[in-house]
Amino acid sequence: MANIPLHFSCTVEDGLGVKRSTDVYQSPPDTTTLAQVVAAMGTWLSDLDASTDGAIVADQVRIIPALPGGLKSATGATWGRSRNMLPGVLRYSSAGTSKAWSSVIPALAAACIVAGKPDVHGATLGTYSTLLTTGSNGYTNPNGQALAALESGIIGERKSRKQLQASSRAV
Amino acid sequence: MTNLEVQYRGELVDGLGVHGDMLSYLSLPDTATLAQTSSALGVWAAAVDGCVDGAFTGVSAVIVPPLPGGLKSATGATWLDSRMQQTGIIDFSATGTSRRYGQALPSFSNAAISGGQFDISNAAVQALISLLLNPTGYFTNAEKQSLEAALDALLSFRKRAYLATRSYVL
């Protein structure tokens, strides 16, 4: 049994409409259920509420486990050539809406690009899409509507000018 | 059993040192354990890892539950008088470090101020301290070190001047 770090935060609003956040940290055993986590945060919010004259208007729990093993590290030629500004954008239909939702994959792998387009029918992107559209996995759009099927994919461009200017290039 | 809205977040860095984020959304039953949630997050990260040439630097799962019942609402004379700048700070010791951890309490209640000072004997403050120090609550500092004891407290002021000026009628 391991302990998992948690971060509880909330936003407090005062009588002038000024908002500020405050937070606490927990490290409970990994056998704790999400219901217990939410209940624990509720207890903290109740005790905090009694100590402040402001009103708590929002809350959030962040679960921060260690990185799982087996992921690639920030080394090697393939990683050295990766670019976050060239994301893959995969478009999914969702249950109960005609509006599509897109999953953005930063630094899309060169191996997932065929003829200048995302290889949506290839094994790798196919595995990712199967994970997101298999109902029992629980994936949704931001409105809580279950993802149904992959519709299309494109390669986008998202500039990070400040970061790029700060990165170490010899001029 | 209720379903909770969850966000999986991944932080990635590319070969130029540029950082980016990856988000997916889920609806998970609240009976799921932290172990199960972490495991599912790992499966997601592994699937994403195959699709990217960037490297993960961190993962997290974010839950935004509804606010619990019984909290005060943004109405009434006491709330109108509240000021975010008035901040109470309780200092705690933590296991394995000589450094203190300060818990900030924004718009600190006037009811917990006595003689112009933070009244650490105030019942609401004592209830909060007891909660944070309860071993079964697992509260820690930001470095995952368990909180040991409340050392002292002070009344401070954290200005939010640019927000405050919006709310004045000129």
Side-chain angles (χ1 to χ4, degrees):
Chain A
M1 185 186 75
N3 283 39
I4 304 287
L6 303 182
H7 179 221
F8 293 172
S9 64
C10 72
T11 302
V12 182
E13 181 177 357
D14 73 10
L16 285 178
V18 177
K19 293 180 183 176
R20 190 107 199 180
S21 64
T22 187
D23 51 12
V24 288
Y25 299 86
Q26 271 202 350
S27 190
D30 62 5
T31 48
T32 309
T33 66
L34 298 184
Q36 290 170 324
V37 168
V38 171
M41 187 169 77
T43 304
W44 169 64
L45 290 177
S46 294
D47 285 352
L48 177 68
D49 187 62
S51 303
T52 175
D53 286 339
I56 297 170
V57 295
D59 63 354
Q60 176 177 286
V61 178
R62 197 157 69 105
I63 303 166
I64 316 169
L67 274 176
L71 304 181
K72 72 171 67 69
S73 56
T75 56
T78 304
W79 172 79
R81 287 193 293 267
S82 63
R83 297 293 179 261
N84 267 335
M85 58 190 269
L86 296 174
V89 182
L90 303 185
R91 196 161 168 266
Y92 295 91
S93 58
S94 301
T97 177
S98 60
K99 306 298 182 186
W101 172 77
S102 295
S103 173
V104 179
I105 304 175
L108 184 67
C112 292
I113 300 173
V114 173
K117 299 175 188 176
D119 183 18
V120 294
H121 299 297
T124 306
L125 289 182
T127 298
Y128 177 71
S129 288
T130 299
L131 177 71
L132 263 57
T133 55
T134 299
S136 57
N137 291 333
Y139 286 90
T140 69
N141 62 17
N143 303 316
Q145 296 160 316
L147 300 182
L150 174 68
E151 292 189 337
S152 60
I154 64 168
I155 296 176
E157 187 175 348
R158 292 197 298 180
K159 288 185 180 169
S160 303
R161 286 194 181 86
K162 285 184 182 175
Q163 290 193 67
L164 283 170
Q165 284 168 3
S167 69
S168 49
R169 301 188 77 176
V171 177
Chain B
M1 183 188 81
T2 317
N3 274 28
L4 295 170
E5 294 183 2
V6 180
Q7 276 185 22
Y8 282 172
R9 289 182 182 171
E11 294 144 21
L12 295 146
V13 64
D14 72 10
L16 283 179
V18 175
H19 292 263
D21 291 333
M22 171 85 193
L23 280 180
S24 284
Y25 301 87
L26 304 93
S27 182
L28 294 179
D30 64 1
T31 49
T33 65
L34 291 177
Q36 291 168 329
T37 305
S38 299
S39 176
L41 178 57
V43 170
W44 172 80
V48 173
D49 192 61
C51 302
V52 302
D53 285 336
F56 274 96
T57 57
V59 291
S60 61
V62 176
I63 306 170
V64 184
L67 286 173
L71 303 181
K72 72 171 71 70
S73 56
T75 56
T78 304
W79 173 76
L80 274 173
D81 275 340
S82 65
R83 295 295 179 262
M84 197 54 59
Q85 300 178 36
Q86 183 167 290
T87 303
I89 300 175
I90 308 174
D91 283 332
F92 292 90
S93 58
T95 305
T97 178
S98 61
R99 302 300 175 188
R100 295 168 170 225
Y101 169 70
Q103 174 65 61
L105 306 171
S107 65
F108 190 61
S109 176
N110 278 351
I113 298 174
S114 175
Q117 296 181 341
F118 190 122
D119 179 12
I120 203 164
S121 67
N122 174 271
V125 171
Q126 283 295 311
L128 180 61
I129 292 173
S130 294
L131 177 72
L132 296 179
L133 295 179
N134 188 331
T136 61
Y138 304 104
F139 284 95
T140 68
N141 61 14
E143 288 74 43
K144 296 172 280 189
Q145 295 160 317
S146 298
L147 300 182
E148 285 183 330
L151 298 174
D152 50 43
L154 64 108
L155 191 59
S156 179
F157 289 88
R158 295 194 294 178
K159 285 186 180 175
R160 301 284 274 183
Y162 75 96
L163 286 173
T165 53
R166 281 193 330 207
S167 323
Y168 279 104
V169 175
L170 296 177

